[in-house]
Amino acid sequence: MPRASRAEAERHREQVIAATAKLVRTHGADKVSVPQAMAAAGLTHGGFYRHFASKDDLIAQACSAAFAERLAAMNDLAEDEDTGEDTGRGTSQDTGEDRGRDARAAFLATYLSTLHRDNPALGCAAAALAVDAARAEPGDPLRRAYADGMRNLVDGMERLTRKSGDTSPDERTILVELSTMIGALVLSRACAGDDLSDRILTAVRDHVLGDDEHTPDGKGTSETAG
C-alpha cells in the first residue's frame, strides 16, 4: 500500500474510533451498529473490516480512546498548574502545592457537574460504559479495555493527588473517591429530569472537595466534559 494510502487508512481508522467513542458513551455499546459508527465518521460501512477485526474490536478500541481522553484532560490540567498558567484560580504568589490543589479541585468539580452529566458523549467512559462492561463476558475485549482504562484513571488520580501536596497518596482512598464520583455521575444521569439528580451531584461534590474551592457546574471547562 502506498505511503499516502496507509496514512489515509490510519486517519480513517482514527476517525471511526473517535466517532464510536462518542456514540457508545451516549447510547451504550449494544445500541451502536457498524453502519452507524462508520456513518458517524463520514465513511461507508463496506470498508469496516479493512480497519477492525470485528465490532467487538472497534468497541474495545473506542472504550480505550474514551479513557485516554479523560487521562489527557487530567494531565493537561496538571500541566497548566505546573507552569502557573492563568486558569482563573489563585494568584502569582501561589506555590506549586497550591496550584496542585487547584488542579485536583477543578477536576473533581467539573467531573461532578451538570455539564458533565448532560454531555455523556464527551464525558468519562468509566461512568458511561460501566454497565456495558459489567454485562460483558469475562475475557470480552470491552471488559479488558474497561479494566485497563480504570487502572490508568487510578494512576492519573494518584498523580494529581501528589501534585496537591500529598506525597504518599493512599490507593484505597483514591479508589473510594473515584468510585464515589463515578457512582454519583451514573446515579445523577439515571435521575436526570428530577431534582434528585442535582442534589446527588451537589452532595458528592461537596463531600469529595471538602474545604477546597471549586468552580460549580463546570463553568470555564474545556470541550471535554468533566
Side-chain angles (χ1 to χ4, degrees):
M1 182 183 292
R3 182 177 301 174
S5 297
R6 287 198 298 270
E8 183 178 25
E10 179 59 21
R11 179 170 58 85
H12 287 169
R13 189 185 74 85
E14 291 176 355
Q15 287 175 340
V16 176
I17 292 172
T20 305
K22 292 181 178 180
L23 288 172
V24 295
R25 281 177 284 180
T26 302
H27 305 294
D30 289 344
K31 301 295 184 181
V32 177
S33 67
V34 167
Q36 183 183 9
M38 295 297 282
L43 302 169
T44 60
H45 69 272
F48 176 80
Y49 289 102
R50 289 199 295 269
H51 304 290
F52 306 99
S54 63
K55 178 189 170 183
D56 287 347
D57 177 32
L58 169 59
I59 296 298
Q61 291 194 47
C63 175
S64 296
F67 270 106
E69 285 180 19
R70 179 67 35 234
L71 264 294
M74 292 173 71
N75 291 336
D76 287 347
L77 189 60
E79 287 173 8
D80 285 348
E81 300 295 348
D82 275 347
T83 59
E85 189 170 308
D86 183 9
T87 57
R89 301 182 302 277
T91 68
S92 59
Q93 284 75 38
D94 285 344
T95 66
E97 187 174 306
D98 290 333
R99 291 194 296 270
R101 280 196 294 267
D102 284 346
R104 179 179 176 278
F107 171 73
L108 297 177
T110 53
Y111 194 99
L112 293 163
S113 67
T114 56
L115 174 67
H116 192 188
R117 179 196 63 196
D118 297 340
N119 292 274
L122 297 174
C124 181
L129 296 176
V131 173
D132 291 299
R135 289 175 175 166
E137 294 294 327
D140 185 280
L142 173 58
R143 180 172 282 193
R144 290 197 301 268
Y146 187 93
D148 287 343
M150 278 300 305
R151 278 189 284 269
N152 291 335
L153 198 59
V154 171
D155 290 343
M157 194 66 185
E158 181 179 347
R159 288 193 297 273
L160 204 57
T161 301
R162 287 183 185 277
K163 289 181 182 294
S164 72
D166 185 349
T167 57
S168 301
D170 176 49
E171 183 186 72
R172 288 172 61 89
T173 301
I174 290 173
L175 289 173
V176 169
E177 191 168 71
L178 274 176
S179 299
T180 301
M181 292 163 55
I182 293 166
L185 184 59
V186 171
L187 292 174
S188 71
R189 285 176 176 164
C191 298
D194 190 291
D195 64 358
L196 178 59
S197 177
D198 288 345
R199 299 207 310 272
I200 290 170
L201 289 178
T202 299
V204 176
R205 187 168 62 236
D206 290 346
H207 173 73
V208 298
L209 281 166
D211 295 330
D212 288 335
E213 295 180 0
H214 61 277
T215 303
D217 293 333
K219 294 177 182 177
T221 61
S222 63
E223 182 189 23
T224 302

